[in-house]
């Protein structure tokens, strides 16, 4: 039986969640009808709308009523529990469900310091300070995308975890393809691509703990990015809904990704990246391309794919360089410098 629990939050955010659930349909709602539906006074509703606007934007209010500028879907714990119970691997694990949090990775780190037993998941409808790789901001508007983190203890040493984020990327890409039919590409080390643009990313925070390594694996996946948030994204992006006419249920997709993640972490702890290697290469969007490796020692070369440990192989004038993930970033280059 799945253990979806709300992350403890104030009564105010319970009310905000209910309000957001109603407004997520993108329709116009008259103030008086909304007050009656939610059982609150006009004054209370006005205060809640202000608070919701502050955390989510996306809300247009005038004297007559209110609507959201973009339809969104708030997680319902019952529906999420049902979806998780229908999976094979995730039904036993605790999941902290949050309406509005700083970052699901940071939440798990705090909860672990306070004694949370792991494995455990955190899932949010929105993040205020979602973190991307290399200190970037991860745009996390309300009820539109997936913001998910998993805390897992690996028995293998730190240096045997280098392919973890690649394996996770593959597991997510396969889960998305099974659920939506969309074929995603993978860009080393841990970006998910759709039609040549990034639609998701993975942020792994590691800490060594005696004979094991604790990992917090954060996944951000653009399902339906609202137009008024899109202009704040500092790189070409894609979302799943923009690539298919078929409806995508965020709850069902989230449950399938959670299921795939659990299986992936179990297998990776036993066997590392090797079982994922050939399937990863089928989705590799960099292989055979001219590349620039960014960072202190920027250089160009041709990508020869990844090796069995998940390191990038870059052919340069000096030979084949093996590049580990870490904080390195790569991007396609127009040409290779001699
Ligand atoms: C990247 O830069 O590509 C990684 C993005 C990771 C974003 C996810 S959203 C859930 C989790 N919480 C965060 O603050 N970041 C990760």
């Amino acid at each position: 039986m799945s253990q979806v629990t709300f992350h403890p939050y104030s009564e105010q955010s319970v009310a905000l969640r209910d309000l957001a659930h109603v407004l997520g349909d993108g329709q116009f709602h008259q103030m008086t009808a909304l007050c009656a539906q939610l059982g609150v006074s006009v004054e209370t509703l006005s205060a809640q709308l202000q608070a919701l606007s502050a955390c989510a934007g996306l809300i247009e209010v005038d004297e007559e009523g209110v609507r959201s500028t973009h339809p969104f879907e708030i997680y319902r714990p019952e529906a999420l529990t049902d979806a998780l119970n229908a999976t094979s691997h995730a039904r036993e694990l605790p999941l902290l469900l949050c309406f509005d949090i700083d970052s699901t990775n940071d939440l798990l780190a705090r909860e672990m310091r306070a004694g949370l037993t792991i494995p455990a998941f955190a899932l949010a409808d929105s993040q205020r300070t979602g973190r991307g790789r290399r200190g970037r901001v991860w745009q996390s508007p309300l009820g539109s995308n997936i913001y998910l983190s998993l805390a897992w203890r690996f028995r293998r040493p730190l240096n045997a975890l280098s392919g973890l984020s690649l394996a996770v990327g593959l597991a997510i890409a396969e889960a998305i393809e099974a659920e939506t039919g969309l074929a995603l590409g993978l860009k080393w080390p841990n970006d998910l691509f759709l039609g040549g643009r990034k639609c998701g990313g993975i942020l792994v925070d590691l800490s060594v703990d005696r004979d094991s390594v604790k990992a917090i694996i954060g996944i951000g996946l653009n399902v339906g990015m609202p137009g008024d948030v899109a202009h704040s994204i500092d790189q070409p992006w894609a979302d799943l809904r923009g690539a298919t006419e078929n409806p995508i249920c965020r709850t069902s997709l989230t449950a399938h990704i959670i299921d795939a993640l659990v299986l992936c972490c179990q297998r990776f702890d036993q066997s590392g990246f090797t079982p994922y290697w050939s399937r990863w290469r089928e989705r590799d969007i960099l292989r055979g391309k001219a590349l620039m490796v960014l960072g202190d020692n920027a250089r160009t070369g041709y990508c020869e794919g990844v090796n069995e440990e998940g390191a990038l192989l870059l052919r340069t004038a000096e030979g084949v360089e093996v590049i580990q993930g870490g904080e390195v970033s790569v991007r396609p280059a127009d040409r290779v410098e001699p």
Side-chain angles (χ1 to χ4, degrees):
M1 182 68 182
S2 168
Q3 306 168 42
V4 176
T5 49
F6 280 121
H7 179 250
Y9 48 72
S10 65
E11 253 172 55
Q12 197 201 17
S13 33
V14 176
L16 291 192
R17 172 182 281 273
D18 289 345
L19 174 60
H21 179 62
V22 175
L23 295 181
D25 62 6
Q27 303 295 313
F28 179 78
H29 292 266
Q30 257 197 342
M31 286 295 190
T32 42
L34 205 48
C35 286
Q37 186 174 352
L38 296 167
V40 294
S41 66
V42 177
E43 293 71 33
T44 304
L45 179 62
S46 301
Q48 287 174 356
L49 285 169
Q50 261 187 14
L52 189 60
S53 283
C55 81
L58 308 178
I59 307 290
E60 270 176 8
V61 187
D62 64 24
E63 274 167 21
E64 295 297 304
V66 53
R67 78 165 80 234
S68 65
T69 54
H70 184 268
F72 51 81
E73 178 191 344
I74 301 299
Y75 287 114
R76 306 305 280 172
E78 315 75 35
L80 194 60
T81 304
D82 288 349
L84 287 169
N85 280 338
T87 68
S88 319
H89 302 98
R91 44 174 65 196
E92 300 301 330
L93 300 188
L95 183 146
L96 293 173
L97 181 59
C98 325
F99 178 63
D100 179 34
I101 197 78
D102 50 356
S103 148
T104 50
N105 269 36
D106 296 348
L107 170 69
L108 281 182
R110 284 195 299 273
E111 293 293 323
M112 279 158 67
R113 283 196 294 275
L116 176 77
T117 48
I118 60 173
F121 282 95
L123 176 67
D125 278 306
S126 64
Q127 296 184 120
R128 291 184 181 220
T129 49
R131 291 192 287 116
R133 284 183 77 231
R134 299 167 62 78
R136 288 179 126 143
V137 170
W138 189 259
Q139 295 295 338
S140 311
L142 182 73
S144 313
N145 302 319
I146 293 177
Y147 320 114
L148 172 71
S149 299
L150 165 63
W152 193 274
R153 186 185 298 280
F154 290 91
R155 302 287 159 198
R156 45 183 46 235
L158 190 59
N159 62 7
L161 285 171
S162 57
L164 173 63
S165 64
L166 282 80
V168 166
L170 176 67
I172 296 168
E174 290 179 344
I176 294 171
E177 186 159 350
E179 176 82 2
T180 67
L182 290 169
L184 271 71
L186 296 167
K187 174 175 172 272
W188 185 91
N190 41 16
D191 288 345
L192 294 150
F193 264 61
L194 196 51
R197 285 171 296 150
K198 178 163 168 170
C199 67
I202 298 157
L203 176 73
V204 182
D205 295 321
L206 296 172
S207 57
V208 179
D209 180 23
R210 290 190 295 272
D211 56 346
S212 64
V213 179
K214 286 191 280 195
I216 300 178
I217 303 165
I219 290 127
L221 178 67
N222 299 340
V223 178
M225 186 65 84
D228 42 3
V229 176
H231 65 267
S232 330
I233 304 178
D234 58 0
Q235 55 188 317
W237 61 272
D239 60 9
L240 303 186
R241 290 203 176 117
T244 175
E245 305 272 280
N246 298 331
I248 296 176
C249 169
R250 202 169 62 117
T251 299
S252 166
L253 181 59
T254 303
H256 281 103
I257 289 176
I258 288 177
D259 189 46
L261 274 174
V262 174
L263 183 61
C264 174
C265 288
Q266 286 167 347
R267 285 208 179 135
F268 189 93
D269 210 14
Q270 280 163 10
S271 316
F273 181 63
T274 308
Y276 298 93
W277 188 31
S278 67
R279 274 156 43 225
W280 204 94
R281 286 194 299 179
E282 287 166 19
R283 292 180 188 262
D284 184 351
I285 64 165
L286 293 181
R287 190 148 56 115
K289 300 239 166 77
L291 279 193
M292 175 174 287
V293 178
L294 306 171
D296 294 344
N297 171 24
R299 58 234 189 252
T300 54
Y302 286 102
C303 177
E304 295 203 341
V306 300
N307 71 10
E308 223 173 318
E309 277 86 50
L312 184 82
L313 303 173
L314 186 76
R315 177 166 292 283
T316 66
E318 280 81 48
V320 176
E321 191 184 338
V322 178
I323 300 175
Q324 304 294 337
E327 280 299 281
V328 177
S329 182
V330 296
R331 68 156 190 244
D334 298 335
R335 63 195 180 94
V336 172
E337 302 296 336

